[in-house]
Amino acid sequence: MPAVGMVGGGQLARMTAAAAVGLGATFRVLAESPTESAALVTRNVALGSRLSLSDISSFATECDVITFDHEHVPGDILADLESAGVLVRPGSAALRYTQDKLAMRDRLSTLGVPCPRYAQVASVADVVEFARGSWPVVLKSVSGGYDGRGVWVCESAAEAEEVVGHGVALLAEEFVPFRRELAALVARSPSGQGAAYPVVQTVQLDGICREVIAPAPGLDPDTAVEAEALALRIAAELGVTGLLAVELFEARNGRLLVNELAMRPHNSGHWTIEGARTSQFEQHLRAVLDLPLGSCAPAASSGQFTVMANLLGGTDPDVFDRYLHVMAADPAVKVHFYGKEVRLGRKIGHVTIVGGPGDDVEELRDRARRAASYLRWGTEDGD
């Protein structure tokens, strides 16, 4: 059977490992610690650093293809692996656009993909010139950053000066007054087959995705088709193999603007484990192995919603006792734990509810929020 190696031992690798079982594929993980999320549940674990060519090369010798649960393997290492004949999916040329936000913006602009106005900046004067008197301005680190890290919304030149003082390469973007945030998740195989999941609404708080509603409520069908087609086009133009998540702003005028890209399983797709006919984790494996892609259709009938809420750590690490209450209070809630040490504000799992006929989407959201709150705080009315 084919062997897939995933570089990175986080929760995405952990959930991909479960999907590999049903496909009959051997799944290996390169983790930096035996206590990482995936290493706790996967038999074929190698310990090594994402920053070491020798560690990844050694790991790759026992894999038919390698893929990733993050974007943080340096590009020169990826290029060296490819030069040595390692099958890397997605490849270094595609991954560059998730590792370098300026390269991503330049490439998408060349393709005519709608994006916020942007510019590379190196000084406060550059930021002021970019702002043209219109604040706030969004500053982003060109490389690195996730879950709100490496992103600053600056209301003034004084705030921008503090960010510039960090000494990192920066990109300035216009602040987009959006109606809501959406995500389009698609898959693409080496054979060129593509598949698109329903467009979802994401709800962010303090830079962290807290909730996903699938499909996005009230989204105009033409806009949904536009978002799916845009994501599939980007995947093809960038040569993506595997999953591509395109995070979008739905502007107040109804226009769609691309915010971020991720080429791996994505938080916006966790709902697919219970809510779609093929989970995003199985789909990613199918794509990197060049198997026929699975159906992205919702598991529920037309008109029904799935709601996913991220579970963040609270102040009490004894989550299991509260888990029993959640299971008893709402048997329809599915809870996924990531095997992580509980720390305040850290993602330690997620909860999902697949709605039934006639279920109101706001009621589903409330149930998911209550479950996540009780697991975090021991009360249903926390955040």
Side-chain angles (χ1 to χ4, degrees):
M1 302 300 292
V4 179
M6 182 165 272
V7 177
Q11 65 261 26
L12 300 179
R14 181 187 180 103
M15 289 182 275
T16 305
V21 173
L23 286 178
T26 299
F27 188 73
R28 304 188 72 239
V29 170
L30 180 67
E32 299 202 352
S33 162
T35 61
E36 281 195 276
S37 183
L40 296 174
V41 298
T42 307
R43 181 172 63 89
N44 293 313
V45 178
L47 297 181
S49 172
R50 61 181 172 81
L51 303 177
S52 169
L53 175 60
S54 62
D55 285 352
I56 301 178
S57 296
S58 176
F59 173 70
T61 60
E62 297 186 43
C63 305
D64 295 297
V65 57
I66 65 168
T67 187
F68 312 91
D69 88 335
H70 57 67
E71 295 93 355
H72 305 308
V73 179
D76 57 347
I77 289 181
L78 296 174
D80 286 345
L81 291 168
E82 291 169 324
S83 296
V86 176
L87 194 56
V88 177
R89 291 176 172 167
S92 60
L95 280 168
R96 177 183 177 223
Y97 299 110
T98 65
Q99 297 173 327
D100 183 325
K101 290 183 173 63
L102 181 60
M104 180 264 287
R105 282 282 181 253
D106 287 345
R107 178 70 171 133
L108 293 184
S109 296
T110 299
L111 294 172
V113 172
C115 298
R117 185 173 66 87
Y118 73 97
Q120 187 174 17
V121 293
S123 66
V124 177
D126 289 342
V127 179
V128 171
E129 181 181 357
F130 175 83
R132 301 173 186 168
S134 180
W135 299 86
V137 166
V138 180
L139 296 182
K140 295 182 177 181
S141 57
V142 170
S143 61
Y146 64 96
D147 283 349
R149 298 176 180 88
V151 178
W152 301 269
V153 179
C154 299
E155 299 283 351
S156 66
E159 291 186 11
E161 183 175 15
E162 182 179 349
V163 176
V164 171
H166 295 327
V168 299
L170 291 172
L171 180 72
E173 291 185 354
E174 67 175 317
F175 181 83
V176 177
F178 56 84
R179 181 183 302 161
R180 58 178 169 176
E181 292 181 81
L182 305 172
L185 182 66
V186 299
R188 183 174 178 273
S189 72
S191 299
Q193 184 186 8
Y197 287 95
V199 177
V200 302
Q201 177 179 341
T202 64
V203 180
Q204 316 285 326
L205 182 63
D206 297 326
I208 298 176
C209 178
R210 297 294 295 272
E211 184 181 358
V212 175
I213 310 150
L219 184 63
D220 180 81
D222 290 340
T223 303
V225 170
E226 177 189 350
E228 292 172 10
L230 179 63
L232 287 168
R233 178 183 167 226
I234 292 171
E237 294 281 4
L238 301 188
V240 175
T241 295
L243 288 176
L244 171 69
V246 180
E247 299 179 34
L248 299 156
F249 294 130
E250 183 184 15
R252 289 175 184 168
N253 61 6
R255 188 180 182 214
L256 296 178
L257 299 172
V258 172
N259 180 28
E260 299 283 355
L261 302 179
M263 296 178 192
R264 50 169 171 75
H266 192 254
N267 202 167
S268 67
H270 289 353
W271 69 274
T272 62
I273 297 175
E274 286 87 21
R277 298 195 182 277
T278 307
S279 79
Q280 67 163 340
F281 303 99
E282 178 184 337
Q283 195 77 292
H284 186 68
L285 289 170
R286 284 178 178 238
V288 300
L289 288 169
D290 206 11
L291 297 172
L293 299 180
S295 170
C296 294
S301 61
S302 177
Q304 295 174 220
F305 292 94
T306 297
V307 174
M308 186 282 297
N310 276 314
L311 170 59
L312 304 186
T315 52
D316 180 3
D318 188 9
V319 178
F320 188 75
D321 282 349
R322 297 192 292 279
Y323 182 31
L324 300 180
H325 168 86
V326 168
M327 293 176 71
D330 194 341
V333 172
K334 299 295 184 181
V335 181
H336 296 261
F337 289 116
Y338 301 156
K340 292 184 172 183
E341 178 185 356
V342 176
R343 293 202 302 262
L344 185 63
R346 184 189 200 188
K347 278 186 194 174
I348 59 171
H350 69 268
V351 301
T352 305
I353 301 178
V354 179
D359 280 347
D360 178 74
V361 66
E362 292 304 322
E363 179 188 357
L364 293 173
R365 295 178 69 183
D366 184 59
R367 287 164 59 192
R369 288 193 206 107
R370 292 204 312 265
S373 173
Y374 196 89
L375 288 166
R376 186 181 189 190
W377 302 116
T379 174
E380 292 186 351
D381 56 5
D383 62 14

